[in-house]
């Protein structure tokens, strides 16, 4: 038996067939079609590969660090920038002649950040400590551009995992991620041999989702605003209107090999732990920092900082994910598709933008694409599949700095088009069917 | 007969496989250059991509590569680059201090802030620290004088 080192293939037969095919055509080591759904992908003039029947346009480019984005009922697009560009932190884009490309651009807001959302003609946007609100006029222009209402303030920002992603439900609540400023709640962060703290004191003010009133001004931690805990860092989250439930994507922990070389080899550390999707209810605990989710064993494994050995399970009461993806791909946006433009199988399913990994080195990096998970009756009804690929501009990414574009945000237009933002090249893509 | 055909196919397959494998390995070596290169060839300054202070590479691969990446480019917004930066190429005392004590203050480098904490690596031997710092100061397009064991000893002693 000859063992080929092609970690991304689940079955050897398929791997061998594709390998043979690539060997007989040329010595091009580029056999992988990440789309496991069997859909034919077509190269698009945006540089992206999309399933057959879809097309795309560059709606805008060179915006800067385009994080999340939101689209109004009239199709105007607001993009939150991670850091100020030309002294602006939010960009408003308009496509007056409806050719799929923005022809009008303006900016406002004097803070960088990630979160942005629109609800009932109000625009919500977050810095790394606060959430602000703007009233939109009939032209979708913010009327209080210089003086937004402060909805939430004083959230913890210790640099690591400081983006405050937001989403709103249909009951007047806004949900804010507060990421843990730590990898695994060790006494000394990311330090070999440093034990995990139990209980983890970070969880008081971070490592979870907090819920506030969308209408109420000047809220902050008040002892009962924490909605769910045990989530290391959530960047992508969305309200699932079908289930009437909050869904989130967690970034799993880093560095199993470099901190515990005796327990995990480089390959295991590249694949583990899973990046996880959770369906949350109030009071839920997803188990960080005590456990991580192993997508091969389908179990919550005790973190080595808390006495784990890669096999021992832990935190039986903690929530199980509804979908588990390979490690470190960095899910930065989640969107439940409710439009009518795409084929019926996409309706109510989840799009996820994977920003792309760094923590798989020296193994090749993964992610840098948008995937789709079909849903039926509020639950995943099939395997995840790559929906849009080619952002990075190269087949193999050795290091994230090499990627030309990195998918970061997702939004749905009133016509059902899908918008994708990129915080490396500052591009906004519009995908239509 | 069937067996012979499948054996031939098998040989053919292996042939193609090794051919490709070799060519891809060669490509890799072009990028990273073998460590065993004789010193006189190194001094000829043939290629910028040659590994200088190669003893430090092993330390780098074990402790640094995940965050700072094999190209020294770091990770945007998270882990700072080692290429063409003042904190790597400048004052050696500061650099040795970062290795020994780690860094949790959010370094601003070339106008960008990097958010992850760096742990202390005080458990590395003085020789390993000198090797890895000399390696990062002289690869990824960097050029600066080496860090010696006695310099590391001195900084560690002062702490």
């Amino acid at each position: 038996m000859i063992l080929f080192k092609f970690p991304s293939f689940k079955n050897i037969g398929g791997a061998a067939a594709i390998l043979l095919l690539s060997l007989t055509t040329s010595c091009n080591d580029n056999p992988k079609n990440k789309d496991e759904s069997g859909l034919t992908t077509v190269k698009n003039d945006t540089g992206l590969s999309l399933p057959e029947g879809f097309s795309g346009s560059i709606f805008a480019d060179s915006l800067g660090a385009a994080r999340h984005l939101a689209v109004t009922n009239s199709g105007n697009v607001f993009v939150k920038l991670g850091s100020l560009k030309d002294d602006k932190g939010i960009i408003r884009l308009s496509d007056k002649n409806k050719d799929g490309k923005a022809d009008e651009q303006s900016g406002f807001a004097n803070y960088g950040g990630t979160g942005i959302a629109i609800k009932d003609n109000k625009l919500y946007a977050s810095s790394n400590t606060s959430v602000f609100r703007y009233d939109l006029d009939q032209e979708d222009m913010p009327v209080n551009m210089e003086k937004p209402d402060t909805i939430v303030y004083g959230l913890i920002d210790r640099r690591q995992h400081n983006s405050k992603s937001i989403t709103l439900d249909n009951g007047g609540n806004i949900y804010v991620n507060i990421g843990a400023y730590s990898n695994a709640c060790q006494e000394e962060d990311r330090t070999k041999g440093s034990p995990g703290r139990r209980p983890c004191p970070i969880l008081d003010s971070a490592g979870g989702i907090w819920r506030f009133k969308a209408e109420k001004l000047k809220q902050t931690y008040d002892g009962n605003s924490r909605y769910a805990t045990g989530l290391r860092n959530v960047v992508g989250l969305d309200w699932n209107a079908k289930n009437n439930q909050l869904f989130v994507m967690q970034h799993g922990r880093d560095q199993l090999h470099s901190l515990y070389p005796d327990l995990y080899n480089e390959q295991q550390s590249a694949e583990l732990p899973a990046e996880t999707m959770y369906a949350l209810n109030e009071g839920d605990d997803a188990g960080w920092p005590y456990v991580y989710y192993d997508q091969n064993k389908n179990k919550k494994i005790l973190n080595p900082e808390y006495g784990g050995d890669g096999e021992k399970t832990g935190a039986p009461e903690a929530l199980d994910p509804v979908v588990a993806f390979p490690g470190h791909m960095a899910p930065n946006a989640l969107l439940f598709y409710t439009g009518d433009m795409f084929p019926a199988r996409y309706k109510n399913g989840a799009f996820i933008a994977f920003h792309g990994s760094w923590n798989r080195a020296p193994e090749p990096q993964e992610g840098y694409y948008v995937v789709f998970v079909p849903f039926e009756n509020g639950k995943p009804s099939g395997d995840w599949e790559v929906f849009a690929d080619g952002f990075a501009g190269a087949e193999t990414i050795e290091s994230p700095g090499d990627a030309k574009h990195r998918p970061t945000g997702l939004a749905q237009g009133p016509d059902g088009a899908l918008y994708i933002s990129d915080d490396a090249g500052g591009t906004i893509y519009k995908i239509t069917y | 007969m069937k067996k012979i055909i499948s054996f031939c196919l098998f040989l053919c397959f292996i042939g193609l496989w090794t051919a490709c494998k070799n060519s891809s390995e060669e490509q890799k070596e072009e990028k990273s250059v073998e460590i065993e290169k004789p010193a006189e060839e190194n001094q000829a300054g043939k290629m910028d991509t040659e590994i200088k202070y190669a003893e430090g590479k092993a330390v780098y691969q074990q402790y640094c590569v995940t965050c700072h990446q094999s190209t020294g480019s770091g990770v945007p917004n998270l882990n700072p680059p080692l290429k063409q930066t003042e904190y790597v190429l400048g004052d050696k005392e500061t650099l040795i201090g970062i290795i020994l004590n780690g860094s949790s203050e959010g370094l601003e480098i070339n106008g960008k802030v990097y958010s992850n904490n760096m742990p202390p690596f005080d458990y590395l031997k003085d020789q390993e620290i000198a090797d890895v710092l000399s390696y990062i100061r002289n690869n990824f397009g960097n050029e600066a004088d080496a860090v010696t064991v006695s310099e590391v000893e001195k900084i560690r002693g002062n702490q």
Side-chain angles (χ1 to χ4, degrees):
Chain A
M1 176 68 197
I2 302 159
L3 288 173
F4 297 103
K5 214 177 127 188
F6 269 78
S8 58
F9 289 105
K10 283 173 192 160
N11 86 56
I12 300 274
I18 295 168
L19 181 62
L20 188 58
L21 187 67
S22 79
L23 284 167
T24 48
T25 47
S26 73
C27 278
N28 186 349
D29 60 343
N30 184 13
K32 73 178 170 185
N33 175 6
K34 288 168 185 161
D35 189 344
E36 291 173 359
S37 69
L39 290 169
T40 318
T41 56
V42 289
K43 261 288 194 227
N44 187 275
D45 59 9
T46 53
L48 300 185
S49 300
L50 299 165
E52 199 167 4
F54 286 88
S55 58
S57 62
I58 305 282
F59 189 74
D61 63 18
S62 310
L63 296 184
R67 297 287 287 176
H68 285 173
L69 75 175
V71 189
T72 69
N73 288 335
S74 327
N76 295 307
V77 178
F78 289 92
V79 183
K80 187 77 203 75
L81 301 185
S83 50
L84 300 184
K85 184 158 191 259
D86 304 325
D87 301 322
K88 311 291 185 215
I90 300 175
I91 303 295
R92 179 186 180 280
L93 299 164
S94 214
D95 176 13
K96 297 241 160 169
N97 66 0
K98 308 280 175 206
D99 67 347
K101 290 171 186 174
D103 40 37
E104 210 179 83
Q105 181 177 326
S106 58
F108 58 100
N110 60 359
Y111 52 92
T114 292
I116 195 156
I118 292 168
K119 192 84 182 171
D120 302 330
N121 283 328
K122 290 183 169 65
L123 175 74
Y124 299 81
S126 69
S127 69
N128 293 332
T129 59
S130 307
V131 181
F132 301 103
R133 187 183 64 194
Y134 303 83
D135 291 313
L136 299 178
D137 67 16
Q138 290 194 329
E139 304 294 314
D140 289 344
M141 290 301 287
V143 291
N144 51 343
M145 211 177 265
E146 302 299 326
K147 286 185 180 165
D149 298 324
T150 301
I151 302 297
V152 185
Y153 70 98
L155 303 182
I156 208 155
D157 171 8
R158 297 200 184 164
R159 295 181 297 108
Q160 194 176 173
H161 304 148
N162 62 0
S163 61
K164 304 294 183 286
S165 302
I166 55 174
T167 194
L168 291 99
D169 64 15
N170 294 320
N173 298 299
I174 185 165
Y175 299 82
V176 185
N177 166 65
I178 307 177
Y181 44 92
S182 170
N183 180 36
C185 206
Q186 288 171 284
E187 283 174 12
E188 299 295 331
D189 189 28
R190 298 176 192 262
T191 300
K192 205 171 168 181
S194 177
R197 290 177 287 174
R198 186 189 288 270
C200 172
I202 292 172
L203 292 168
D204 286 355
S205 58
I209 304 293
W210 267 252
R211 182 175 63 181
F212 300 98
K213 293 286 172 207
E215 281 301 315
K216 201 172 160 191
L217 303 183
K218 296 190 177 152
Q219 303 165 83
T220 189
Y221 299 107
D222 68 355
N224 57 39
S225 53
R226 192 176 77 182
Y227 185 71
T229 190
L231 292 155
R232 178 175 173 272
N233 185 33
V234 166
V235 188
L237 74 175
D238 195 18
W239 185 258
N240 182 324
K242 190 92 179 163
N243 294 31
N244 211 26
Q245 191 173 19
L246 181 69
F247 279 64
V248 301
M249 292 292 315
Q250 178 184 229
H251 286 219
R253 60 156 303 157
D254 300 326
Q255 292 173 289
L256 283 168
H257 169 72
S258 58
L259 295 173
Y260 295 93
D262 299 339
L263 298 177
Y264 301 89
N265 64 32
E266 284 170 348
Q267 286 80 14
Q268 289 169 320
S269 188
E271 287 296 321
L272 294 173
E275 304 286 53
T276 39
M277 180 194 287
Y278 296 102
L280 295 182
N281 290 307
E282 187 172 2
D284 276 345
D285 180 347
W288 182 90
Y290 312 112
V291 290
Y292 67 80
Y293 195 77
D294 182 322
Q295 71 273 30
N296 301 316
K297 296 186 169 82
N298 294 317
K299 282 177 182 167
K300 287 169 297 211
I301 303 294
L302 199 61
N303 261 318
E305 289 82 355
Y306 294 87
D309 58 2
E311 298 292 334
K312 274 185 232 166
T313 58
E317 71 291 348
L319 197 60
D320 280 315
V322 290
V323 190
F325 298 89
H328 313 300
M329 303 203 302
N332 270 10
L334 170 65
L335 174 90
F336 285 97
Y337 185 77
T338 56
D340 294 320
M341 178 192 273
F342 292 2
R345 70 183 289 269
Y346 290 95
K347 188 111 180 185
N348 301 317
F351 286 102
I352 298 134
F354 282 103
H355 198 222
S357 67
W358 60 273
N359 204 245
R360 296 170 78 99
E363 298 290 301
Q365 304 301 337
E366 262 297 336
Y368 305 92
Y369 44 55
V370 174
V371 311
F372 177 72
V373 181
F375 268 64
E376 264 173 37
N377 304 318
K379 287 187 174 145
S381 58
D383 289 340
W384 63 277
E385 64 201 35
V386 173
F387 174 77
D389 199 1
F391 294 90
E395 192 67 28
T396 306
I397 293 293
E398 197 182 343
S399 176
D402 300 341
K404 286 198 176 66
H405 306 281
R406 303 182 73 183
T408 308
L410 296 169
Q412 185 186 308
D415 57 353
L418 179 70
Y419 292 81
I420 306 168
S421 59
D422 141 45
D423 71 351
T427 303
I428 309 298
Y429 301 87
K430 182 179 183 183
I431 311 298
T432 52
Y433 183 83
Chain B
M1 187 61 191
K2 237 183 178 176
K3 271 185 184 171
I4 295 169
I5 291 172
S6 34
F7 185 61
C8 284
L9 271 172
F10 179 68
L11 279 182
C12 177
F13 186 88
I14 293 299
L16 280 164
W17 160 251
T18 45
C20 278
K21 193 166 178 277
N22 289 343
S23 86
S24 78
E25 273 171 11
E26 271 160 31
Q27 280 169 8
K28 266 188 202 155
E29 275 170 20
E30 267 172 30
K31 263 200 245 164
S32 60
V33 179
E34 66 266 29
I35 296 170
E36 311 300 335
K37 204 165 263 287
E40 50 273 28
E41 269 190 58
N42 272 344
Q43 281 156 10
K46 246 182 4 186
M47 288 185 282
D48 281 336
T49 51
E50 268 182 27
I51 290 177
K52 296 169 186 129
Y53 300 96
E55 4 0 291
K57 188 180 177 183
V59 182
Y60 187 81
Q61 288 295 106
Q62 191 175 345
Y63 299 102
C64 319
V65 72
T66 313
C67 295
H68 294 288
Q69 306 281 298
S70 54
T71 53
S73 59
V75 179
N77 308 316
L78 301 181
N79 309 319
L82 305 175
K83 288 176 171 178
Q84 300 298 315
T85 56
E86 178 58 27
Y87 83 107
V88 172
L89 292 168
D91 178 38
K92 290 195 258 185
E93 209 169 299
T94 310
L95 186 59
I96 294 166
I98 291 176
I99 283 256
L100 290 172
N101 305 317
S103 169
S104 57
E105 55 194 44
L107 281 179
E108 185 178 322
I109 289 153
N110 299 339
K112 290 188 172 156
V113 180
Y114 296 86
S115 64
N116 278 349
N117 295 329
M118 172 161 155
F121 287 89
D122 52 355
Y123 52 86
L124 294 179
K125 296 187 187 86
D126 292 345
Q127 180 71 55
E128 290 175 306
I129 292 177
D131 287 347
V132 76
L133 293 182
S134 300
Y135 171 77
I136 66 168
R137 280 163 69 88
N138 290 282
N139 288 283
F140 322 128
N142 291 343
E143 213 174 323
D145 57 334
V147 172
T148 65
V149 171
S150 60
E151 285 169 324
V152 180
E153 265 174 15
K154 193 180 141 208
I155 307 292
R156 203 196 287 266
N158 287 345
Q159 292 196 340

